[in-house]
Amino acid sequence: MTSTVLVAGATGDLGQRIVRALLRHDVRLRVLTRPGSGAAPALFGGEERVDVVAADYADPAALDAAVAGADVVVSAVSGVRPVIVDAQRALLAAAVRAGVPRFIPSDYSADYRAIAVGSNRNFELRREFAADVDAAPIRATSILNGAFTEILTGEAPMILFDRGRVLYWSSADQTLDFTSKDDVARVTASVALDPEAPRVVEVAGSRVTARDVARTMTELTGTPFKPQWAGTTGSLSAMSKVLRRLAKDPDETFPAWQGMQYFVSMFSGQAQLRHVDNDRYGPQEWTTVRDVLAAHVGRGHAAA
């Protein structure tokens, strides 16, 4: 029987990948978009198995109509409180009113459940919304995957490619969890089509330390890369709080201080995954940290 899946946040980077992953299965998709937005029709208008439905998150009747008849609602929205808490609360409430059996919140992160209060804004917003999900009469599954592997060559300055150094805080031997965006999307599609999925599914394409990353970079480039102590997680947390107080835009999704908070959560071990089950949906090919770094080096982005 063909499943009907509604995806919110489908025009974002991860959302588009989730839609592509779902279309590899026998599904009927609905893509939720805000009224007046042309992004979703432009991206998915030519796909016969995708219906674009418009609804404002402040319009309960429109949301109810959008989700009615869906087998599962998949949220891939991105933002801070107005999105992760407020918009998702509206979407969750609509799913409950419409009798949708299942809901997948927009987590796609490290394990935010045990982090210290005040240590990571984005994780704490997810934890706050998770309490709403747990209280709702709907079957839900959160996907925890560590950090996106792509950050190692993007916005997270952990690897100093031009200096042959890999930064770490407190311990170079702390296990760090990474999963590529495409792998997260593939897992999300599998979860969406699994009516028996548990409350949390944990996966990790790679589980490495800063020391491992330095060794991998050395092997890939032939240039010695060494782990470099950058302070303690406590000092990094204090620095992030100072920068947060000085920030001009408190609602920016990924400011520098938020990146610091991610490293605090990861290098403190508080957000480490504890129950990784990569084989839940059978043997898979996982994109590793080495794969992502090798592609980066192959494009000429490495130490001279």
Side-chain angles (χ1 to χ4, degrees), residues 142-145 177 179 183 186-187 190-191 194 196-198 200-205 207 273-284 286:
S142 289
I143 296 163
L144 302 181
N145 51 258
D177 303 301
T179 311
D183 285 347
R186 184 189 71 235
V187 170
S190 296
V191 169
D194 177 11
E196 302 302 318
V200 175
V201 169
E202 297 183 21
V203 295
R207 312 195 77 188
L273 301 178
R274 307 292 179 183
H275 304 286
V276 171
D277 184 7
N278 283 358
D279 294 329
R280 177 175 178 82
Y281 298 107
Q284 306 285 337
W286 296 87

Side-chain angles (χ1 to χ4, degrees), residues 15-259:
Q16 291 184 50
R17 296 169 195 256
I18 291 172
V19 168
R20 289 197 295 269
L22 281 164
L23 286 173
R24 299 188 189 106
H25 301 270
D26 181 20
V27 297
R28 184 79 197 183
L29 289 185
R30 290 185 204 159
V31 169
L32 181 64
T33 186
R34 294 182 185 273
S37 172
L43 286 168
F44 310 117
E47 174 54 62
E48 63 179 15
R49 287 190 292 148
V50 177
D51 297 319
V52 177
V53 294
D56 193 291
Y57 287 92
D59 186 342
L63 280 179
D64 290 354
V67 304
D71 295 296
V72 58
V73 168
V74 177
S75 177
V77 297
S78 178
V80 289
R81 175 169 294 279
V83 176
I84 296 300
V85 177
D86 299 338
Q88 284 201 114
R89 276 178 176 164
L91 185 63
L92 175 66
V96 170
R97 288 192 300 268
V100 177
R102 301 177 54 233
F103 187 90
I104 298 175
S106 186
D107 287 340
Y108 318 112
S109 66
D111 192 346
Y112 54 77
R113 294 172 291 180
I115 63 167
V117 174
S119 65
N120 190 313
R121 177 199 61 182
N122 287 7
F123 283 178
E124 289 177 79
L125 291 173
R126 281 163 169 75
R127 184 162 63 186
E128 181 179 344
F129 180 63
D132 288 45
V133 173
D134 289 336
I138 194 169
R139 186 176 184 119
T141 301
S142 289
I143 296 163
L144 302 181
N145 51 258
F148 292 131
T149 317
E150 290 85 352
I151 71 168
L152 288 171
T153 59
E155 62 268 28
M158 179 179 163
I159 304 175
L160 305 182
F161 292 96
D162 58 342
R163 293 171 54 188
R165 295 292 184 269
V166 175
L167 300 181
Y168 70 90
W169 290 263
S170 291
S171 173
D173 297 306
Q174 169 62 46
T175 297
L176 310 172
D177 303 301
F178 294 98
T179 311
S180 74
K181 293 178 182 178
D182 281 339
D183 285 347
V184 172
R186 184 189 71 235
V187 170
T188 303
S190 296
V191 169
L193 300 177
D194 177 11
E196 302 302 318
R199 178 64 183 87
V200 175
V201 169
E202 297 183 21
V203 295
S206 289
R207 312 195 77 188
V208 298
T209 67
R211 200 179 305 280
D212 293 333
V213 173
R215 185 180 304 114
T216 296
M217 285 301 301
T218 298
E219 294 169 355
L220 290 173
T221 65
T223 300
F225 273 72
K226 297 180 180 179
Q228 179 171 312
W229 187 75
T232 65
T233 54
S235 65
L236 185 61
S237 180
M239 188 184 306
S240 74
K241 291 176 181 177
V242 171
L243 288 181
R244 184 176 186 179
R245 286 197 297 269
L246 297 174
K248 294 180 180 179
D249 180 5
D251 291 327
E252 189 178 352
T253 305
F254 294 112
W257 59 263
Q258 177 64 73

